[in-house]
Amino acid sequence: MTENAIIHTDALIIGAGPVGLFAAFELGLNDIKCHLVDILERAGGQCAELYPEKPIYDIPAVPVCTGTELTERLLEQIKPFHSTFHFGQMIESLAKTEGGKWRTVTDRGQIFESTVVVVAAGGGSFVPKRPPIKGIESFEGKSVFYAVRKMEQFRGKKIVIAGGGDSALDWVINLQPIAQHITLVHRRDEFRAAPDSVGKMRAMVEDGTIDLKIGNLSGLIGADGRITGVNLTDDAKNVAEIACDNLLAFYGLTMKLGPVANFGIALQNDLIPVNTADFESSLPGVFAIGDINTYPGKMKLILSGFHEAALMAKKAFALVHPDRRYRFQYTTSSSDLQGKLGVSDAA
């Protein structure tokens, strides 16, 4: 099959983050075949892309795990269903076919036709905000970073971390034990991070473990993608140079809803309103789960998205298998579900 041949599937999931992955699991239990499309180059969504090593504490029965670990476990969980992934692509259009299917097309020209579409795209596509420094693009991915994917690459390095929120202070605290030296830079001596993180950071400044500099990044020093220092300008317009090997800039994220806004789905403040019975959108057969949706009482938690995926799958079953009666079963006691998962009843 060529890349642009039409792919026919029961369900197309837009977004391969934690909620999209769990949706593939719930749909799989209901004999619904899935393809998943994600703009990123791997599964895990923003959880794995921006915070791959940051601890997550609110997954039920898992006291702590990282975004990477959560993604790996979810991928392991859906293995029995052989879902197909299409990475590095963005769905650009959604339209109904004459036969009543949903036709979606990616920016690479890949066409899907499915009975249901599940939008699990988080808040859309997130792009890190760049520091307003001329020429910074040539250093990105080499010595300037907006996320920490592998802590080890910063071992023994002199690092400047810029920002005043949770991400900046979290990485000051987490990287300090392995870095040669860390300088935290923020435009003012007030921080938006959790009080506990702020307290830990100030204690580290007090005992000389890290440096704190107040001012705005105004320039980079270096060549061929490698920085040797940054310039910092204070309120009095004084410029100081801070020697470093890497700059980690955490200036927040810019959210772009992207083509979803043009799908013909009713929107509310750039979110997709859904009903809470099955999380269907204004378009029959098109569902929205996770942070992309909105309804009264909505909480933007991964576990909320998991709940939404389960109820979505029940309605999807009725659409994909209209000739079959839905039968609620528990994985703990159903030999049918255990057979699909490739496990046996341990009882």
Side-chain angles (χ1 to χ4, degrees):
M1 178 176 60
T2 63
E3 178 63 6
N4 290 334
I6 297 177
I7 294 176
H8 297 272
T9 184
D10 296 330
L12 179 74
I13 300 175
I14 302 174
V19 173
L21 294 176
F22 192 70
F25 175 78
E26 288 293 331
L27 291 170
L29 287 178
N30 285 281
D31 296 327
I32 297 174
K33 301 298 183 183
C34 301
H35 282 250
L36 297 91
V37 175
D38 200 292
I39 193 172
L40 299 176
E41 295 296 335
R42 56 181 177 172
Q46 305 304 323
C47 177
E49 184 71 9
L50 296 182
Y51 311 111
E53 297 191 32
K54 186 175 180 179
I56 300 172
Y57 298 103
D58 59 357
I59 303 300
V62 182
V64 60
C65 68
T66 64
T68 297
E69 290 168 342
L70 178 61
T71 300
E72 290 173 348
R73 294 177 187 184
L74 287 164
L75 287 170
E76 182 68 24
Q77 190 175 37
I78 66 172
K79 270 186 179 180
F81 305 119
H82 307 291
S83 300
T84 304
F85 292 87
H86 304 266
F87 294 121
Q89 301 188 55
M90 178 172 60
I91 298 293
E92 287 196 323
S93 65
L94 171 74
K96 205 69 175 286
T97 69
E98 291 184 0
K101 302 290 186 179
W102 286 108
R103 172 174 289 197
T104 48
V105 184
T106 75
D107 55 354
R108 289 190 182 179
Q110 180 61 66
I111 302 171
F112 300 89
E113 288 190 2
S114 59
T115 303
V116 301
V117 172
V118 182
V119 183
S125 298
F126 288 89
V127 179
K129 293 181 181 177
R130 284 191 177 108
I133 299 174
K134 184 178 180 180
I136 193 172
E137 295 87 348
S138 64
F139 295 91
E140 292 173 347
K142 299 175 182 177
S143 56
V144 173
F145 302 93
Y146 304 115
V148 177
R149 295 193 179 124
K150 293 184 179 179
M151 290 176 62
E152 278 300 311
Q153 77 180 99
F154 301 104
R155 183 175 292 277
K157 303 289 187 180
K158 291 178 289 185
I159 307 169
V160 168
I161 296 180
D166 286 311
S167 294
L169 268 66
D170 283 349
W171 287 118
V172 166
I173 295 167
N174 289 325
L175 289 174
Q176 186 278 323
I178 67 171
Q180 178 181 337
H181 185 72
I182 289 180
T183 301
L184 174 63
V185 170
H186 190 41
R187 67 182 185 277
R188 57 181 182 173
D189 195 20
E190 296 177 9
F191 297 86
R192 305 180 310 279
D196 181 65
S197 297
V198 175
K200 289 179 179 178
M201 178 273 293
R202 292 203 183 278
M204 295 164 73
V205 173
E206 183 68 23
D207 64 20
T209 305
I210 67 167
D211 288 332
L212 170 63
K213 302 293 184 182
I214 306 302
N216 290 297
L217 290 178
S218 54
L220 300 180
I221 303 164
D224 300 322
R226 300 294 175 183
I227 64 172
T228 57
V230 300
N231 288 327
L232 187 69
T233 301
D234 63 19
D235 290 341
K237 305 302 181 184
N238 297 312
V239 179
E241 179 182 331
I242 304 173
C244 65
D245 303 305
N246 295 115
L247 168 64
L248 299 178
F250 299 103
Y251 283 16
L253 300 169
T254 298
M255 184 181 72
K256 295 184 178 180
L257 186 59
V260 172
N262 303 315
F263 284 0
I265 306 173
L267 297 176
Q268 179 181 323
N269 298 323
D270 286 338
L271 297 172
I272 301 175
V274 293
N275 68 66
T276 53
D278 50 39
F279 302 95
E280 197 169 31
S281 72
S282 62
L283 300 180
V286 177
F287 302 85
I289 58 176
D291 288 357
I292 195 73
N293 74 14
T294 183
Y295 53 86
K298 168 71 178 185
M299 294 184 70
K300 291 190 175 184
L301 296 172
I302 294 174
L303 63 90
S304 298
F306 290 169
H307 158 76
E308 295 161 10
L311 291 183
M312 172 278 298
K314 179 181 178 182
K315 176 63 176 291
F317 177 88
L319 298 174
V320 174
H321 303 297
D323 56 335
R324 292 170 56 182
R325 178 174 174 270
Y326 179 82
R327 188 161 58 96
F328 179 75
Q329 303 175 84
Y330 294 104
T331 56
T332 52
S333 57
S334 168
S335 59
D336 175 47
L337 294 183
Q338 290 168 6
K340 293 175 184 178
L341 294 172
V343 298
S344 59
D345 189 352

